[in-house]
Amino acid sequence: QSALTQPASVSGSPGQSITISCTGTSSDVGAYNSVSWYQQHPGKAPKLMIYEVSNRPSGVPDRFSGSKSGNTASLTISGLQAEDEGDYYCSSYTRSSTPSYVFGTGTKVTVL
Amino acid sequence: EVQLLESGGGLVQPGGSLRVSCAASGFAFNTNAMSWVRQAPGKGLEWVSAISGSSGGKYYADSVTGRFTISRDNSKNTFYLQMDSLRVDDTAVYYCAKLRGPDWNVLCFDYWGQGALVTVSS
C-alpha cells in the first residue's frame, strides 16, 4: 500500500490556473475510476473536492476539475483564489485481497 | 446536515489500548459504509479501516491488521475503532469519515469528523 506520488508544492498567482498531479500504478489509479481529491486547511478536517475522477460534490466551485490519463490523475484549479491555499490529497481504491484505499503524499498549494 | 463527532482520544503508553468513537447524524447511518483515516503530526493522510453498513465487511490497512478492530452499533448511530498493542508510530489525529459510492472500488470519503488526537508515548 505505497502512497500515491504528488508534487510537494505548487504555487500560482490569483486568477491563474494550476494543476496537481497524482501518480499511481496499474493497481490503483490506472485500474479504477475511484480517484478523489481532498482539500485541507491547517488544523481542519479534509474536505471532498472531486470524486470518481471528475465529479464535483454540491457546493464545490466549478473552478475545480479533475481528470485521469493512465496511471496519473490531475486536479486543476482555474481562476486561483486566496481561499484555495492549503494542502491537497488525492486518493484511490487499490487492488488487494480486500477493499483498501491509498492516499497521495499531499501537495501544498500557495497563492502568491 | 451530516455531522460526525469523534471522542475517546488521549494519551496512552506503548503497548496499551484505546477506543475512539464516532457519533453520526443527518443521514441513514445503517446503510452507509464508514471509515477511519489518520494523520500523524505534520504528515499526510493514511487510510486505516472501513466497515460496511451491516458490519458484514471489515477491512484494515496492513499497518494495523491484527491490532485494531472496527465495529459499529447501528442502534446508536455510532462506530468505533478499538486500538490494541499501540505503538509510538500510531500517534496521529484519527478522523472518522462517511463513505459514498455504489461499490467498494469507487468509494470516496464525503464527510469527515473534526478528528481525535491519539498520542502514544511513555
Side-chain angles (χ1 to χ4, degrees):
Chain A
Q1 296 171 343
S2 298
L4 307 175
T5 301
Q6 299 179 231
S9 63
V10 173
S11 62
S13 299
Q16 287 187 329
S17 293
I18 62 169
T19 297
I20 303 168
S21 61
C22 170
T23 301
T25 70
S26 57
S27 294
D28 39 61
V29 174
Y32 305 97
N33 287 324
S34 68
V35 176
S36 51
W37 289 90
Y38 304 87
Q39 176 192 66
Q40 186 178 35
H41 290 132
K44 301 296 186 181
K47 174 187 176 183
L48 176 67
M49 305 303 284
I50 295 288
Y51 67 98
E52 293 176 19
V53 177
S54 60
N55 295 304
R56 273 179 292 106
S58 175
V60 172
D62 61 5
R63 62 178 186 274
F64 289 88
S65 62
S67 63
K68 189 185 85 166
S69 178
N71 296 337
T72 299
S74 298
L75 173 71
T76 297
I77 309 175
S78 304
L80 196 63
Q81 297 185 7
E83 59 261 35
D84 299 333
E85 188 163 288
D87 295 324
Y88 289 78
Y89 295 90
C90 61
S91 179
S92 173
Y93 180 84
T94 181
R95 186 177 296 148
S96 174
S97 56
T98 59
S100 184
Y101 302 89
V102 61
F103 283 92
T105 50
T107 298
K108 181 173 180 55
V109 169
T110 301
V111 181
L112 302 172
Chain B
E1 179 189 7
V2 173
Q3 290 192 347
L4 300 171
L5 185 62
E6 296 99 335
S7 60
L11 174 65
V12 61
Q13 293 187 335
S17 297
L18 198 66
R19 188 179 82 162
V20 288
S21 304
C22 178
S25 61
F27 63 100
F29 180 74
N30 62 347
T31 61
N32 270 270
M34 304 295 294
S35 186
W36 291 98
V37 176
R38 69 184 180 183
Q39 186 170 35
K43 303 297 184 180
L45 301 172
E46 179 188 13
W47 175 74
V48 174
S49 182
I51 185 168
S52 65
S54 63
S55 299
K58 300 178 182 181
Y59 310 106
Y60 303 93
D62 291 345
S63 57
V64 306
T65 296
R67 300 188 300 121
F68 289 12
T69 303
I70 193 170
S71 63
R72 64 191 296 160
D73 185 340
N74 287 343
S75 69
K76 296 181 178 180
N77 280 12
T78 300
F79 76 114
Y80 310 93
L81 186 67
Q82 175 67 41
M83 301 179 286
D84 299 320
S85 302
L86 281 161
R87 308 189 299 222
V88 171
D89 63 358
D90 292 318
T91 295
V93 172
Y94 284 74
Y95 293 102
C96 63
K98 173 181 169 293
L99 288 165
R100 163 187 179 164
D103 201 352
W104 284 107
N105 61 14
V106 288
L107 291 180
C108 67
F109 309 88
D110 65 341
Y111 289 94
W112 299 64
Q114 85 289 350
L117 177 61
V118 172
T119 302
V120 185
S121 175
S122 54

PDB file of all heavy atoms in Angstrom, chain B residues 7 11 15 17 19 21 26 29 33-34 36 38 40-41 45 60 66 69-70 72 77 92 100-101 111-112:
ATOM      1  N   SER B   7     -14.798  10.981  19.616  1.00  0.00           N
ATOM      2  CA  SER B   7     -14.469  11.108  21.030  1.00  0.00           C
ATOM      3  C   SER B   7     -13.568   9.945  21.414  1.00  0.00           C
ATOM      4  O   SER B   7     -13.480   8.948  20.678  1.00  0.00           O
ATOM      5  CB  SER B   7     -15.728  11.114  21.887  1.00  0.00           C
ATOM      6  OG  SER B   7     -16.465   9.914  21.714  1.00  0.00           O
ATOM      7  N   LEU B  11      -3.926  10.191  25.731  1.00  0.00           N
ATOM      8  CA  LEU B  11      -2.550   9.734  25.879  1.00  0.00           C
ATOM      9  C   LEU B  11      -2.535   8.301  26.395  1.00  0.00           C
ATOM     10  O   LEU B  11      -3.239   7.979  27.371  1.00  0.00           O
ATOM     11  CB  LEU B  11      -1.801  10.654  26.845  1.00  0.00           C
ATOM     12  CG  LEU B  11      -0.375  10.250  27.231  1.00  0.00           C
ATOM     13  CD1 LEU B  11       0.545  10.286  26.023  1.00  0.00           C
ATOM     14  CD2 LEU B  11       0.141  11.171  28.337  1.00  0.00           C
ATOM     15  N   GLY B  15       2.074  -0.164  23.877  1.00  0.00           N
ATOM     16  CA  GLY B  15       1.545  -1.457  24.275  1.00  0.00           C
ATOM     17  C   GLY B  15       0.149  -1.392  24.857  1.00  0.00           C
ATOM     18  O   GLY B  15      -0.495  -2.439  25.051  1.00  0.00           O
ATOM     19  N   SER B  17      -3.993   0.206  25.185  1.00  0.00           N
ATOM     20  CA  SER B  17      -5.198   0.154  24.355  1.00  0.00           C
ATOM     21  C   SER B  17      -6.002   1.438  24.505  1.00  0.00           C
ATOM     22  O   SER B  17      -5.927   2.114  25.536  1.00  0.00           O
ATOM     23  CB  SER B  17      -6.082  -1.032  24.762  1.00  0.00           C
ATOM     24  OG  SER B  17      -5.419  -2.260  24.545  1.00  0.00           O
ATOM     25  N   ARG B  19      -9.956   3.197  22.775  1.00  0.00           N
ATOM     26  CA  ARG B  19     -11.055   3.104  21.820  1.00  0.00           C
ATOM     27  C   ARG B  19     -11.540   4.505  21.475  1.00  0.00           C
ATOM     28  O   ARG B  19     -11.841   5.288  22.368  1.00  0.00           O
ATOM     29  CB  ARG B  19     -12.214   2.285  22.384  1.00  0.00           C
ATOM     30  CG  ARG B  19     -13.297   2.006  21.342  1.00  0.00           C
ATOM     31  CD  ARG B  19     -14.436   1.161  21.886  1.00  0.00           C
ATOM     32  NE  ARG B  19     -15.405   1.965  22.632  1.00  0.00           N
ATOM     33  CZ  ARG B  19     -16.639   1.557  22.916  1.00  0.00           C
ATOM     34  NH1 ARG B  19     -17.061   0.367  22.505  1.00  0.00           N
ATOM     35  NH2 ARG B  19     -17.439   2.337  23.621  1.00  0.00           N
ATOM     36  N   SER B  21     -14.455   6.704  19.311  1.00  0.00           N
ATOM     37  CA  SER B  21     -15.826   6.553  18.844  1.00  0.00           C
ATOM     38  C   SER B  21     -16.176   7.677  17.877  1.00  0.00           C
ATOM     39  O   SER B  21     -15.560   8.751  17.904  1.00  0.00           O
ATOM     40  CB  SER B  21     -16.801   6.613  20.025  1.00  0.00           C
ATOM     41  OG  SER B  21     -16.484   5.650  20.997  1.00  0.00           O
ATOM     42  N   GLY B  26     -27.696  12.923  10.704  1.00  0.00           N
ATOM     43  CA  GLY B  26     -28.013  13.634   9.471  1.00  0.00           C
ATOM     44  C   GLY B  26     -28.080  12.792   8.220  1.00  0.00           C
ATOM     45  O   GLY B  26     -28.248  13.334   7.120  1.00  0.00           O
ATOM     46  N   PHE B  29     -27.545   6.187   8.678  1.00  0.00           N
ATOM     47  CA  PHE B  29     -26.292   5.593   9.144  1.00  0.00           C
ATOM     48  C   PHE B  29     -26.216   4.103   8.844  1.00  0.00           C
ATOM     49  O   PHE B  29     -25.174   3.593   8.413  1.00  0.00           O
ATOM     50  CB  PHE B  29     -26.156   5.832  10.646  1.00  0.00           C
ATOM     51  CG  PHE B  29     -24.901   5.269  11.257  1.00  0.00           C
ATOM     52  CD1 PHE B  29     -23.680   5.877  11.048  1.00  0.00           C
ATOM     53  CD2 PHE B  29     -24.957   4.124  12.048  1.00  0.00           C
ATOM     54  CE1 PHE B  29     -22.517   5.356  11.607  1.00  0.00           C
ATOM     55  CE2 PHE B  29     -23.799   3.597  12.616  1.00  0.00           C
ATOM     56  CZ  PHE B  29     -22.578   4.221  12.393  1.00  0.00           C
ATOM     57  N   ALA B  33     -21.425   2.692   4.547  1.00  0.00           N
ATOM     58  CA  ALA B  33     -20.111   2.260   4.995  1.00  0.00           C
ATOM     59  C   ALA B  33     -19.404   3.447   5.642  1.00  0.00           C
ATOM     60  O   ALA B  33     -19.634   4.604   5.276  1.00  0.00           O
ATOM     61  CB  ALA B  33     -19.293   1.739   3.821  1.00  0.00           C
ATOM     62  N   MET B  34     -18.570   3.143   6.619  1.00  0.00           N
ATOM     63  CA  MET B  34     -17.845   4.177   7.359  1.00  0.00           C
ATOM     64  C   MET B  34     -16.372   3.807   7.436  1.00  0.00           C
ATOM     65  O   MET B  34     -15.999   2.631   7.262  1.00  0.00           O
ATOM     66  CB  MET B  34     -18.427   4.332   8.762  1.00  0.00           C
ATOM     67  CG  MET B  34     -19.918   4.645   8.813  1.00  0.00           C
ATOM     68  SD  MET B  34     -20.375   6.238   8.106  1.00  0.00           S
ATOM     69  CE  MET B  34     -19.575   7.370   9.240  1.00  0.00           C
ATOM     70  N   TRP B  36     -12.140   4.954   9.033  1.00  0.00           N
ATOM     71  CA  TRP B  36     -11.200   5.728   9.842  1.00  0.00           C
ATOM     72  C   TRP B  36      -9.981   6.051   8.989  1.00  0.00           C
ATOM     73  O   TRP B  36      -9.453   5.192   8.279  1.00  0.00           O
ATOM     74  CB  TRP B  36     -10.779   4.938  11.081  1.00  0.00           C
ATOM     75  CG  TRP B  36     -11.871   4.761  12.085  1.00  0.00           C
ATOM     76  CD1 TRP B  36     -12.677   3.674  12.244  1.00  0.00           C
ATOM     77  CD2 TRP B  36     -12.281   5.706  13.080  1.00  0.00           C
ATOM     78  NE1 TRP B  36     -13.578   3.887  13.263  1.00  0.00           N
ATOM     79  CE2 TRP B  36     -13.354   5.117  13.805  1.00  0.00           C
ATOM     80  CE3 TRP B  36     -11.848   6.984  13.459  1.00  0.00           C
ATOM     81  CZ2 TRP B  36     -14.003   5.769  14.855  1.00  0.00           C
ATOM     82  CZ3 TRP B  36     -12.491   7.635  14.499  1.00  0.00           C
ATOM     83  CH2 TRP B  36     -13.551   7.022  15.187  1.00  0.00           C
ATOM     84  N   ARG B  38      -6.202   8.333   9.430  1.00  0.00           N
ATOM     85  CA  ARG B  38      -5.382   9.015  10.425  1.00  0.00           C
ATOM     86  C   ARG B  38      -4.344   9.913   9.773  1.00  0.00           C
ATOM     87  O   ARG B  38      -4.010   9.750   8.591  1.00  0.00           O
ATOM     88  CB  ARG B  38      -4.721   8.019  11.361  1.00  0.00           C
ATOM     89  CG  ARG B  38      -3.642   7.153  10.736  1.00  0.00           C
ATOM     90  CD  ARG B  38      -3.127   6.123  11.750  1.00  0.00           C
ATOM     91  NE  ARG B  38      -2.082   5.271  11.182  1.00  0.00           N
ATOM     92  CZ  ARG B  38      -1.518   4.264  11.857  1.00  0.00           C
ATOM     93  NH1 ARG B  38      -1.891   3.988  13.109  1.00  0.00           N
ATOM     94  NH2 ARG B  38      -0.567   3.535  11.276  1.00  0.00           N
ATOM     95  N   ALA B  40      -0.645  11.514  11.068  1.00  0.00           N
ATOM     96  CA  ALA B  40       0.413  11.742  12.043  1.00  0.00           C
ATOM     97  C   ALA B  40       0.806  13.217  12.021  1.00  0.00           C
ATOM     98  O   ALA B  40       0.626  13.897  11.002  1.00  0.00           O
ATOM     99  CB  ALA B  40       1.613  10.865  11.735  1.00  0.00           C
ATOM    100  N   PRO B  41       1.344  13.737  13.108  1.00  0.00           N
ATOM    101  CA  PRO B  41       1.689  15.164  13.170  1.00  0.00           C
ATOM    102  C   PRO B  41       2.604  15.589  12.031  1.00  0.00           C
ATOM    103  O   PRO B  41       3.658  15.005  11.814  1.00  0.00           O
ATOM    104  CB  PRO B  41       2.416  15.275  14.517  1.00  0.00           C
ATOM    105  CG  PRO B  41       1.857  14.170  15.338  1.00  0.00           C
ATOM    106  CD  PRO B  41       1.604  13.048  14.384  1.00  0.00           C
ATOM    107  N   LEU B  45      -2.250  11.952   4.955  1.00  0.00           N
ATOM    108  CA  LEU B  45      -3.376  11.103   5.351  1.00  0.00           C
ATOM    109  C   LEU B  45      -3.065   9.637   5.092  1.00  0.00           C
ATOM    110  O   LEU B  45      -2.404   9.292   4.113  1.00  0.00           O
ATOM    111  CB  LEU B  45      -4.624  11.505   4.555  1.00  0.00           C
ATOM    112  CG  LEU B  45      -5.092  12.951   4.710  1.00  0.00           C
ATOM    113  CD1 LEU B  45      -6.208  13.247   3.719  1.00  0.00           C
ATOM    114  CD2 LEU B  45      -5.549  13.220   6.129  1.00  0.00           C
ATOM    115  N   TYR B  60      -8.934  -3.538   6.803  1.00  0.00           N
ATOM    116  CA  TYR B  60      -7.877  -2.856   7.531  1.00  0.00           C
ATOM    117  C   TYR B  60      -6.651  -2.625   6.655  1.00  0.00           C
ATOM    118  O   TYR B  60      -6.346  -3.425   5.763  1.00  0.00           O
ATOM    119  CB  TYR B  60      -7.444  -3.697   8.738  1.00  0.00           C
ATOM    120  CG  TYR B  60      -8.560  -4.013   9.687  1.00  0.00           C
ATOM    121  CD1 TYR B  60      -9.298  -5.195   9.578  1.00  0.00           C
ATOM    122  CD2 TYR B  60      -8.886  -3.131  10.718  1.00  0.00           C
ATOM    123  CE1 TYR B  60     -10.337  -5.474  10.446  1.00  0.00           C
ATOM    124  CE2 TYR B  60      -9.924  -3.407  11.605  1.00  0.00           C
ATOM    125  CZ  TYR B  60     -10.643  -4.580  11.458  1.00  0.00           C
ATOM    126  OH  TYR B  60     -11.675  -4.861  12.322  1.00  0.00           O
ATOM    127  N   GLY B  66      -4.605  -6.927  12.793  1.00  0.00           N
ATOM    128  CA  GLY B  66      -4.265  -7.740  13.956  1.00  0.00           C
ATOM    129  C   GLY B  66      -4.161  -6.950  15.244  1.00  0.00           C
ATOM    130  O   GLY B  66      -4.101  -7.541  16.332  1.00  0.00           O
ATOM    131  N   THR B  69      -9.452  -3.019  15.705  1.00  0.00           N
ATOM    132  CA  THR B  69     -10.727  -3.639  15.369  1.00  0.00           C
ATOM    133  C   THR B  69     -11.781  -2.564  15.174  1.00  0.00           C
ATOM    134  O   THR B  69     -11.986  -1.725  16.062  1.00  0.00           O
ATOM    135  CB  THR B  69     -11.180  -4.600  16.483  1.00  0.00           C
ATOM    136  OG1 THR B  69     -10.173  -5.595  16.711  1.00  0.00           O
ATOM    137  CG2 THR B  69     -12.487  -5.291  16.099  1.00  0.00           C
ATOM    138  N   ILE B  70     -12.440  -2.605  14.029  1.00  0.00           N
ATOM    139  CA  ILE B  70     -13.514  -1.649  13.746  1.00  0.00           C
ATOM    140  C   ILE B  70     -14.853  -2.323  14.028  1.00  0.00           C
ATOM    141  O   ILE B  70     -15.013  -3.532  13.814  1.00  0.00           O
ATOM    142  CB  ILE B  70     -13.436  -1.153  12.278  1.00  0.00           C
ATOM    143  CG1 ILE B  70     -14.330   0.063  12.062  1.00  0.00           C
ATOM    144  CG2 ILE B  70     -13.759  -2.277  11.290  1.00  0.00           C
ATOM    145  CD1 ILE B  70     -14.122   0.744  10.698  1.00  0.00           C
ATOM    146  N   ARG B  72     -19.415  -1.283  14.799  1.00  0.00           N
ATOM    147  CA  ARG B  72     -20.449  -0.263  14.784  1.00  0.00           C
ATOM    148  C   ARG B  72     -21.664  -0.730  15.536  1.00  0.00           C
ATOM    149  O   ARG B  72     -21.925  -1.937  15.656  1.00  0.00           O
ATOM    150  CB  ARG B  72     -20.812   0.134  13.345  1.00  0.00           C
ATOM    151  CG  ARG B  72     -21.420  -0.964  12.507  1.00  0.00           C
ATOM    152  CD  ARG B  72     -21.487  -0.571  11.035  1.00  0.00           C
ATOM    153  NE  ARG B  72     -22.384   0.573  10.814  1.00  0.00           N
ATOM    154  CZ  ARG B  72     -22.334   1.346   9.730  1.00  0.00           C
ATOM    155  NH1 ARG B  72     -21.428   1.125   8.789  1.00  0.00           N
ATOM    156  NH2 ARG B  72     -23.190   2.357   9.577  1.00  0.00           N
ATOM    157  N   ASN B  77     -26.198   4.821  16.169  1.00  0.00           N
ATOM    158  CA  ASN B  77     -25.590   5.653  15.114  1.00  0.00           C
ATOM    159  C   ASN B  77     -24.128   5.989  15.429  1.00  0.00           C
ATOM    160  O   ASN B  77     -23.674   7.129  15.245  1.00  0.00           O
ATOM    161  CB  ASN B  77     -26.381   6.957  14.912  1.00  0.00           C
ATOM    162  CG  ASN B  77     -27.626   6.757  14.062  1.00  0.00           C
ATOM    163  OD1 ASN B  77     -28.033   5.622  13.804  1.00  0.00           O
ATOM    164  ND2 ASN B  77     -28.239   7.841  13.640  1.00  0.00           N
ATOM    165  N   ALA B  92      -1.374  10.007  16.132  1.00  0.00           N
ATOM    166  CA  ALA B  92      -1.992  10.700  14.993  1.00  0.00           C
ATOM    167  C   ALA B  92      -3.328  11.291  15.406  1.00  0.00           C
ATOM    168  O   ALA B  92      -3.876  10.959  16.464  1.00  0.00           O
ATOM    169  CB  ALA B  92      -2.228   9.718  13.840  1.00  0.00           C
ATOM    170  N   ARG B 100     -18.953   7.195   0.455  1.00  0.00           N
ATOM    171  CA  ARG B 100     -20.001   7.425  -0.540  1.00  0.00           C
ATOM    172  C   ARG B 100     -19.649   6.675  -1.809  1.00  0.00           C
ATOM    173  O   ARG B 100     -18.505   6.727  -2.259  1.00  0.00           O
ATOM    174  CB  ARG B 100     -20.100   8.921  -0.842  1.00  0.00           C
ATOM    175  CG  ARG B 100     -20.840   9.260  -2.132  1.00  0.00           C
ATOM    176  CD  ARG B 100     -20.746  10.721  -2.457  1.00  0.00           C
ATOM    177  NE  ARG B 100     -21.430  11.031  -3.708  1.00  0.00           N
ATOM    178  CZ  ARG B 100     -21.763  12.253  -4.083  1.00  0.00           C
ATOM    179  NH1 ARG B 100     -21.484  13.288  -3.310  1.00  0.00           N
ATOM    180  NH2 ARG B 100     -22.371  12.464  -5.232  1.00  0.00           N
ATOM    181  N   GLY B 101     -20.650   6.027  -2.423  1.00  0.00           N
ATOM    182  CA  GLY B 101     -20.417   5.380  -3.698  1.00  0.00           C
ATOM    183  C   GLY B 101     -21.188   4.094  -3.845  1.00  0.00           C
ATOM    184  O   GLY B 101     -21.670   3.548  -2.857  1.00  0.00           O
ATOM    185  N   TYR B 111     -17.789  12.926   3.916  1.00  0.00           N
ATOM    186  CA  TYR B 111     -17.884  13.769   5.106  1.00  0.00           C
ATOM    187  C   TYR B 111     -16.902  13.268   6.154  1.00  0.00           C
ATOM    188  O   TYR B 111     -16.711  12.059   6.294  1.00  0.00           O
ATOM    189  CB  TYR B 111     -19.311  13.773   5.674  1.00  0.00           C
ATOM    190  CG  TYR B 111     -20.293  14.525   4.820  1.00  0.00           C
ATOM    191  CD1 TYR B 111     -21.062  13.856   3.874  1.00  0.00           C
ATOM    192  CD2 TYR B 111     -20.447  15.900   4.947  1.00  0.00           C
ATOM    193  CE1 TYR B 111     -21.969  14.535   3.079  1.00  0.00           C
ATOM    194  CE2 TYR B 111     -21.349  16.598   4.157  1.00  0.00           C
ATOM    195  CZ  TYR B 111     -22.101  15.908   3.226  1.00  0.00           C
ATOM    196  OH  TYR B 111     -22.989  16.594   2.436  1.00  0.00           O
ATOM    197  N   TRP B 112     -16.308  14.223   6.881  1.00  0.00           N
ATOM    198  CA  TRP B 112     -15.281  13.919   7.864  1.00  0.00           C
ATOM    199  C   TRP B 112     -15.637  14.528   9.213  1.00  0.00           C
ATOM    200  O   TRP B 112     -16.229  15.606   9.280  1.00  0.00           O
ATOM    201  CB  TRP B 112     -13.934  14.493   7.422  1.00  0.00           C
ATOM    202  CG  TRP B 112     -13.410  13.965   6.128  1.00  0.00           C
ATOM    203  CD1 TRP B 112     -13.978  14.110   4.881  1.00  0.00           C
ATOM    204  CD2 TRP B 112     -12.200  13.233   5.928  1.00  0.00           C
ATOM    205  NE1 TRP B 112     -13.191  13.507   3.929  1.00  0.00           N
ATOM    206  CE2 TRP B 112     -12.092  12.964   4.547  1.00  0.00           C
ATOM    207  CE3 TRP B 112     -11.189  12.787   6.786  1.00  0.00           C
ATOM    208  CZ2 TRP B 112     -11.010  12.251   3.999  1.00  0.00           C
ATOM    209  CZ3 TRP B 112     -10.115  12.095   6.242  1.00  0.00           C
ATOM    210  CH2 TRP B 112     -10.040  11.828   4.869  1.00  0.00           C
TER     211      TRP B 112
END
